[in-house]
Amino acid sequence: MEGMSNPLEEIKMSAPGPAKRDTLTQEKFKKIIASTSDCGFPQLAQVIVTTLYGTGIRVSELINLPYIENPNNLEALLIPSIKTKKEYLLPLLPWVVNSITEYIKGERSRIPADPDAASFLFLTPKGKKLSKSWINKLLKSLCIEAGIQKNITAHCMRHSFATNLWKNGANLVEIKELLNHASINTTMNYVHLLPRSNQRKMIDEGPLAEIVASFWRNKSL
């Protein structure tokens, strides 16, 4: 359209380097989710893994999410991005919404939150604010329990989200917007232009279509 820039023009055509971070397939993600049942705080463990893997949110944004008084009709989160200093809408797939809702109505409602941490959505079992190191230790423990020999961190979950979208047909512009990247060149480092299906219908008709469609719907509100 006239007056609108083409995001693809930003792409530098230098060959991307090899992937440097471990990523999770959907099968391994399911194994990690199954391992949360043996955790002392299964709902918290599950909601952290699910939200990271199912949204691509930055861990710095995850730990600063505000508490949600009423999760009914939850479809998206308005994120005050620490990286870009701007708010952006983060769409939520139904299974992410369900996990957040169950946590709020379950374990979160029973946690005696510290006064300084009560305003945050996700808290440790002792009622304190989460930290990046706490989350990464949790992920390491869950991977060991699930028999996954990979160094999976919170940021690896973000790469996994981008990689899964790319493999299933989402284009770079869509992934850039969902990850809230300032430059599409950064997005290229996340997907590494891995082989993927040439069938656009994979993203238009498959389960991952929900998150792309939801994003553009919420962005227009």
Side-chain angles (χ1 to χ4, degrees):
M1 294 177 65
E2 185 177 353
M4 294 184 65
S5 61
N6 181 1
L8 294 176
E9 292 177 353
E10 298 179 37
I11 298 178
K12 297 177 182 178
M13 298 312 293
S14 56
K20 295 181 180 179
R21 292 185 183 272
D22 287 330
T23 57
L24 281 181
T25 62
Q26 293 185 31
E27 290 72 24
K28 286 185 170 61
F29 163 71
K30 291 177 181 178
K31 287 184 178 181
I32 291 180
I33 289 297
S35 72
T36 63
S37 62
D38 297 324
C39 181
F41 36 90
Q43 288 182 333
L44 173 61
Q46 182 171 325
V47 75
I48 288 174
V49 174
T50 299
T51 305
L52 287 170
Y53 187 82
T55 67
I57 190 173
R58 296 179 177 92
V59 65
S60 58
E61 295 166 354
L62 177 86
I63 63 180
N64 284 292
L65 285 174
Y67 180 70
I68 301 172
E69 291 285 350
N70 182 9
N72 295 333
N73 302 317
L74 182 64
E75 291 186 351
L77 297 172
L78 186 61
I79 310 294
S81 175
I82 295 175
K83 190 82 171 183
T84 63
K85 308 300 181 183
K86 296 180 181 179
E87 290 185 332
Y88 71 100
L89 275 172
L90 183 67
L92 301 175
L93 289 166
W95 46 275
V96 179
V97 172
N98 290 340
S99 185
I100 292 175
T101 301
E102 289 175 3
Y103 168 70
I104 292 174
K105 295 181 178 180
E107 289 178 5
R108 180 64 173 82
S109 67
R110 299 188 292 270
I111 294 176
D114 282 0
D116 293 340
S119 62
F120 297 106
L121 176 57
F122 301 127
L123 302 179
T124 71
K126 294 183 178 181
K128 299 182 181 299
K129 184 182 178 183
L130 293 179
S131 67
K132 179 179 177 180
S133 61
W134 192 95
I135 291 176
N136 284 333
K137 286 179 181 178
L138 170 66
L139 292 175
K140 182 177 181 179
S141 175
L142 293 175
C143 283
I144 292 173
E145 182 69 25
I148 297 173
Q149 297 180 344
K150 284 189 172 186
N151 182 29
I152 298 298
T153 64
H155 198 63
C156 291
M157 292 291 204
R158 186 165 162 83
H159 277 253
S160 299
F161 174 76
T163 298
N164 287 335
L165 283 172
W166 173 258
K167 283 183 175 180
N168 284 277
N171 64 46
L172 286 172
V173 175
E174 289 168 335
I175 300 172
K176 169 185 176 291
E177 293 289 337
L178 286 164
L179 293 178
N180 194 38
H181 281 155
S183 169
I184 205 165
N185 291 300
T186 304
T187 309
M188 291 177 68
N189 292 331
Y190 275 64
V191 301
H192 301 282
L193 299 185
L194 296 169
R196 64 173 182 165
S197 169
N198 290 323
Q199 299 297 319
R200 174 66 189 180
K201 67 180 181 180
M202 289 289 290
I203 191 66
D204 288 337
E205 299 176 6
L208 288 173
E210 297 176 48
I211 196 165
V212 173
S214 178
F215 172 79
W216 293 114
R217 181 173 65 250
N218 284 301
K219 195 176 180 69
S220 64
L221 295 179

